[in-house]
Amino acid sequence: QNAQNHGFTISIVTGRLDYEIKMLMDKYGFNGFRISQNGAVIFDNDDKLIYESSLETKDVLSILDALKGQIVIIIFQTIDSYFVEKKVSLVEEFENSQPFIKYLEKPNILRELDKYKFVSISLWAEDNKIIKIKNHLDRVLPKHIESYISSKYTIDITNKENSKGNAIKNLCKIKNISFDDIIVIGDSYNDISMFEITNHSFVIE
């Protein structure tokens, strides 16, 4: 808020959904852009959707095939909703700990994939398995699909061109903003693409 009062535009870039960003920005009066699902969805500061990139059904099937045999919880994400096949206790516990997140249980979702427009897929796993699972996904997924570690328990999977860094590049081009005028702050692997576009990059200590 102090930075915004001094003329900065404050934007939020996250692996989470847009509605979560909007609630947070409305709460604190931020005036910037909303980049969600690792760059797959972008709203400008006039609340206009300016970019969306979804997974094709064949790509979702490839991801599910790659996850066979892995002990994970799979979360399907559209532009505005989280879906799980079953709300297991871990999902309910996490949902109850978060002020913005709501998971929708869809027992038949694996048989109805073509009814949804999925932007990304996330999975939860034990923290000591995350890097091993990501390495496996990188080996077997089609080259146009990328996986990002977004927390010690989470991997996000989306189209390869969707990254936080690419989203910021697109915004800079559309709004005629110099990379020298961008400052980024992050705390995880999926923030690296942002760090690479500007020297004004910072991580949480």
Side-chain angles (χ1 to χ4, degrees):
Q1 288 169 328
N2 187 40
Q4 185 166 270
N5 291 338
H6 282 80
F8 286 87
T9 297
I10 309 300
S11 303
I12 295 181
V13 188
T14 179
R16 297 197 183 196
L17 269 57
D18 176 73
Y19 79 85
E20 298 175 73
I21 307 176
K22 192 172 189 314
M23 292 174 70
L24 199 63
M25 293 182 78
D26 287 347
K27 179 177 179 180
Y28 292 104
F30 292 158
N31 61 359
F33 306 100
R34 308 195 308 266
I35 301 174
S36 58
Q37 291 168 281
N38 292 306
V41 178
I42 307 174
F43 281 86
D44 68 12
N45 46 7
D46 292 320
D47 203 31
K48 178 183 176 182
L49 177 66
I50 60 174
Y51 181 81
E52 179 187 359
S53 175
S54 302
L55 293 164
E56 295 184 21
T57 300
K58 65 179 182 179
D59 293 329
V60 175
L61 291 171
S62 293
I63 293 167
L64 294 175
D65 188 59
L67 292 174
K68 284 180 179 176
Q70 304 288 346
I71 302 175
V72 296
I73 295 173
I74 301 172
I75 302 161
F76 300 87
Q77 301 177 15
T78 63
I79 193 170
D80 55 9
S81 298
Y82 293 104
F83 296 104
V84 292
E85 185 178 15
K86 182 176 175 57
K87 251 192 195 185
V88 296
S89 58
L90 184 62
V91 172
E92 290 182 335
E93 289 171 12
F94 185 75
E95 181 182 60
N96 292 333
S97 73
Q98 301 293 310
F100 302 141
I101 292 181
K102 180 71 175 177
Y103 294 101
L104 304 176
E105 187 174 81
K106 296 285 183 180
N108 296 322
I109 196 165
L110 295 180
R111 296 192 294 273
E112 301 176 343
L113 296 175
D114 57 343
K115 293 184 179 181
Y116 299 92
K117 190 177 180 183
F118 296 119
V119 174
S120 60
I121 291 176
S122 292
L123 58 94
W124 293 350
E126 296 179 10
D127 60 336
N128 61 340
K129 302 285 180 61
I130 281 289
I131 292 178
K132 183 177 180 180
I133 293 172
K134 175 176 167 41
N135 289 339
H136 167 70
L137 292 174
D138 290 345
R139 287 194 304 270
V140 301
L141 285 177
K143 296 302 181 184
H144 64 281
I145 302 298
E146 182 71 274
S147 65
Y148 300 95
I149 295 177
S150 55
S151 82
K152 65 187 295 187
Y153 304 106
T154 311
I155 295 176
D156 299 322
I157 307 168
T158 187
N159 288 318
K160 191 166 189 175
E161 70 269 17
N162 296 334
S163 71
K164 295 182 177 185
N166 281 343
I168 293 174
K169 288 178 183 177
N170 289 335
L171 278 179
C172 287
K173 183 177 181 180
I174 293 169
K175 300 295 183 179
N176 195 29
I177 300 169
S178 168
F179 292 162
D180 291 334
D181 292 330
I182 297 291
I183 297 170
V184 299
I185 303 168
D187 66 355
S188 196
Y189 294 94
N190 61 341
D191 297 318
I192 291 173
S193 63
M194 293 196 305
F195 299 155
E196 292 175 340
I197 67 172
T198 174
N199 290 326
H200 309 300
S201 302
F202 301 88
V203 292
I204 304 301
E205 185 176 11

